[in-house]
Amino acid sequence: SQQGEEDPQALSIQEGENATMNCSYKTSINNLQWYRQNSGRGLVHLILIRSNEREKHSGRLRVTLDTSKKSSSLLITASRAADTASYFCATDASSGGSNYKLTFGKGTLLTVNP
Amino acid sequence: NAGVTQTPKFQVLKTGQSMTLQCAQDMNHEYMSWYRQDPGMGLRLIHYSVGAGITDQGEVPNGYNVSRSTTEDFPLRLLSAAPSQTSVYFCASSSLGSGGGYTFGSGTRLTVV
């Protein structure tokens, strides 16, 4: 069963705008990760945030984590057409933070129109 | 280039046939895993391994076997293919204890007719 659920399922924006995707999960986690998948390709790891962190940045990506609400958000600033992809959150709820058995959500399909 | 290599990229099987999906990584990662991706379902874990000789089941293991004789290779065997196993299969690896992300292969698109 899915631990994480992304929202919205699909998002369409214009180039230059910001894109925000959300992820909710059900149980306590060690870390939460975001991945990107271009059509027909494998997933690419974007960023990892640990349960004791609240915010993390990587380039144009900003991730927040609210463990009290069991939710995370991924913000992509100044989006580009090349950001068009599906974005997945994945949670590590393993004992001891072993990072085994990541559980993935169903993804948000982001379309950035030129 | 370092990474995870999956073969084949595409495969069509008849119901009842068996086959092995290959996965190899050259990053000396201890952890390897297999996921299947179906429309609207996200990725679901089939089997995983934390090192040579050690494997365990994930969320949807039925109909699949794995073994891990070397650190580099983690093949996935379909014993008797069924149409319900039509899916895209991804192999992923990571370094244990690093708390880092997974590296994924490019996938195998399998159709069972």
Side-chain angles (χ1 to χ4, degrees):
Chain A
S1 60
Q2 256 68 31
Q3 157 81 310
E5 291 289 341
E6 293 91 344
D7 171 67
Q9 290 186 337
L11 179 61
S12 181
I13 59 174
Q14 296 299 121
E15 215 167 17
E17 294 180 339
N18 295 341
T20 299
M21 288 158 271
N22 303 296
C23 172
S24 60
Y25 56 92
K26 299 174 184 174
T27 65
S28 296
I29 60 172
N30 302 300
N31 68 62
L32 185 145
Q33 304 176 30
W34 285 91
Y35 288 80
R36 183 188 74 234
Q37 183 181 36
N38 291 91
S39 181
R41 310 291 292 273
L43 281 76
V44 175
H45 179 250
L46 295 176
I47 196 165
L48 179 152
I49 186 165
R50 292 186 167 79
S51 59
N52 61 354
E53 298 174 312
R54 291 297 166 258
E55 186 171 315
K56 206 161 183 181
H57 297 256
S58 177
R60 294 185 294 113
L61 305 180
R62 172 179 169 255
V63 169
T64 61
L65 179 65
D66 187 334
T67 54
S68 67
K69 295 181 179 178
K70 293 185 169 58
S71 67
S72 172
S73 68
L74 171 68
L75 169 67
I76 304 174
T77 59
S79 62
R80 305 164 182 169
D83 294 327
T84 294
S86 291
Y87 292 82
F88 295 86
C89 68
T91 53
D92 169 25
S94 58
S95 58
S98 58
N99 214 28
Y100 300 170
K101 302 172 70 170
L102 279 190
T103 304
F104 286 80
K106 297 179 182 179
T108 292
L109 176 60
L110 172 66
T111 302
V112 181
N113 301 299
Chain B
N1 291 336
V4 178
T5 302
Q6 289 185 239
T7 56
K9 293 192 184 303
F10 301 94
Q11 183 71 48
V12 178
L13 285 181
K14 294 182 178 179
T15 298
Q17 286 184 320
S18 62
M19 79 160 294
T20 300
L21 281 63
Q22 302 292 343
C23 175
Q25 53 93 8
D26 59 2
M27 299 169 286
N28 204 32
H29 283 169
E30 304 95 333
Y31 181 83
M32 297 184 75
S33 55
W34 278 101
Y35 286 85
R36 59 178 289 175
Q37 184 177 31
D38 302 293
M41 296 292 291
L43 281 81
R44 291 181 292 169
L45 181 65
I46 304 171
H47 285 285
Y48 66 98
S49 168
V50 299
I54 306 170
T55 64
D56 206 347
Q57 296 180 350
E59 182 185 352
V60 288
N62 292 342
Y64 307 94
N65 269 358
V66 292
S67 61
R68 183 102 178 265
S69 57
T70 66
T71 300
E72 294 78 20
D73 300 297
F74 190 45
L76 177 72
R77 297 182 191 84
L78 278 69
L79 309 173
S80 177
S84 61
Q85 293 179 304
T86 293
S87 187
V88 181
Y89 292 85
F90 289 100
C91 180
S93 73
S94 75
S95 179
L96 285 176
S98 69
Y102 288 12
T103 301
F104 278 81
S106 57
T108 295
R109 184 175 296 273
L110 175 69
T111 302
V112 182
V113 298

